[in-house]
Amino acid sequence: MKAVIINEYGDNDVVQFTDVEIPEPQAGEVLVKVKTAGVNPVDWKIRDGLGERLGLKLPIRLGGEIAGTIEKVGEGIENFKAGDEIYGMVKVGGFAEYSLAKASDVAPKPESLDFERAAAIPLGGLTAWQAIFDLANLGDGQKILITGASGAVGSLAVQFAKAKGAYVIGTASAKNEDFVKSLGADEFVDYAKQNFEEVASDVDVVFDTVGGDTFERAFQTVKKGGFLVTSVAFPTDEQAEEFGIKAARVYCKPNAEELAEISALVEQGKLKARIAAVLPLDDVKKAFDLSETGHAGGKIVLQIGT
């Protein structure tokens, strides 16, 4: 089968599109015939060297987010069978014609989603869900500020927050105003024209997906006792104490139960993913280049199977 692998760390020159053997599912695993795979910053960061810090061993098969059909199930699997359409996360090897997944890390694909849009949800959706609900405990009637509200993760967070009954303020560029408002945002801030900290104040929760100076200024918007959670920066206890709030970074973890809750929102028409580009698997380097700009404008998806 075809797969994307690296034998060393570096830039796109180390990325190989090559033939490898189809793996066999072990106990608790399923073999998935991959239809589509989502591209995320962590993929090219692993290529750059993050893989070593994560304890991965070379050679590494890249890709951590897939949608497809189950080809074979391993021992002890009772909730899935061959032919089932699923989506979810894999530890490695998602950019391939076949990939192994833990049965506990995938969920049935929502029937209303095609495979392209299905691949755009698991990692970004779970990141947003775990940030604003598991960590920040966002509740009905609370106010949340979401930076990068038009992005692959931020746009999903806007929809989750609205489904929960929160008041949502979203930041993005002017060209994305209509899109962010269409997701249900109550207020929109064009970051190029306004300093969001001068517009938003006393918010219960901030979910930062931008980092850098945006992350630093976001502390000013949180009310005492509130929560700032980020998917890209590294808050310190000192920063949180200075503003009298709690702060944390979210580290996305596979969770089939939460993914099933996300699926329910999809089926209710309360959640849609934004696709920036769909590229063939052998254009993975182009996909990485686009992702590295930080301005893809949504999820990049690789088309793998038919």
Side-chain angles (χ1 to χ4, degrees):
M1 68 170 186
K2 294 292 185 181
V4 176
I5 69 169
I6 58 170
N7 290 298
E8 59 183 313
Y9 297 112
D11 58 19
N12 265 344
D13 288 340
V14 304
V15 177
Q16 298 182 30
F17 182 64
T18 188
D19 288 301
V20 297
E21 291 187 4
I22 298 175
E24 279 291 320
Q26 303 301 307
E29 294 181 331
V30 293
L31 177 66
V32 181
K33 182 176 176 59
V34 183
K35 303 286 190 179
T36 52
V39 177
N40 299 283
V42 69
D43 298 315
W44 49 263
K45 289 178 181 179
I46 287 174
R47 177 208 66 191
D48 286 351
L50 177 63
E52 184 173 14
R53 298 193 292 277
L54 292 177
L56 302 178
K57 302 297 183 182
L58 293 167
I60 298 171
R61 298 184 184 183
L62 297 178
E65 178 180 38
I66 63 169
T69 58
I70 292 181
E71 184 80 5
K72 189 184 298 186
V73 299
E75 184 180 347
I77 303 299
E78 298 181 352
N79 57 327
F80 291 115
K81 65 183 184 303
D84 286 350
E85 297 181 345
I86 59 90
Y87 73 150
M89 294 172 58
V90 294
K91 185 175 181 180
V92 293
F95 299 162
E97 292 177 306
Y98 292 89
S99 180
L100 290 177
K102 290 184 178 179
S104 58
D105 292 348
V106 299
K109 179 183 74 66
E111 292 183 5
S112 60
L113 286 184
D114 59 23
F115 283 104
E116 289 180 5
R117 296 199 176 275
I121 288 179
L123 192 147
L126 287 170
T127 298
W129 188 280
Q130 292 167 11
I132 66 178
F133 296 141
D134 295 354
L135 288 174
N137 198 29
L138 180 72
D140 181 18
Q142 289 191 314
K143 184 187 295 186
I144 182 172
L145 169 68
I146 299 171
T147 66
S150 64
V153 177
S155 62
L156 295 175
V158 170
Q159 296 170 84
F160 290 156
K162 289 307 298 180
K164 192 72 169 182
Y167 184 93
V168 178
I169 306 169
T171 74
S173 61
K175 66 180 181 180
N176 288 303
E177 180 173 359
D178 289 344
F179 171 69
V180 173
K181 287 182 176 178
S182 77
L183 301 177
D186 299 282
E187 291 185 44
F188 176 83
V189 180
D190 176 359
Y191 68 79
K193 293 182 179 179
Q194 292 176 295
N195 292 322
F196 64 85
E197 69 272 21
E198 296 174 0
V199 180
S201 62
D202 290 324
V203 301
D204 298 284
V205 174
V206 168
F207 179 34
D208 167 53
T209 71
V210 176
D213 181 61
T214 297
F215 162 73
E216 298 292 344
R217 291 186 286 123
F219 281 91
Q220 303 174 39
T221 69
V222 189
K223 72 179 185 182
K224 297 291 185 181
F227 205 113
L228 187 156
V229 59
T230 176
S231 60
V232 287
F234 296 91
T236 65
D237 291 339
E238 290 74 19
Q239 285 174 307
E241 291 172 3
E242 178 184 352
F243 289 92
I245 67 171
K246 296 179 180 179
R249 178 180 172 120
V250 62
Y251 294 93
C252 181
K253 298 178 181 178
N255 188 312
E257 291 182 1
E258 290 180 340
L259 192 54
E261 291 188 68
I262 291 171
S263 296
L265 291 177
V266 172
E267 299 292 35
Q268 294 165 22
K270 295 181 179 179
L271 187 72
K272 57 185 178 182
R274 190 182 199 189
I275 304 293
V278 179
L279 301 170
L281 180 60
D282 55 6
D283 265 353
V284 63
K285 294 183 181 182
K286 182 178 178 180
F288 285 169
D289 286 339
L290 180 56
S291 178
E292 287 187 73
T293 67
H295 297 285
K299 196 59 174 274
I300 303 165
V301 174
L302 294 175
Q303 183 74 49
I304 299 174
T306 57

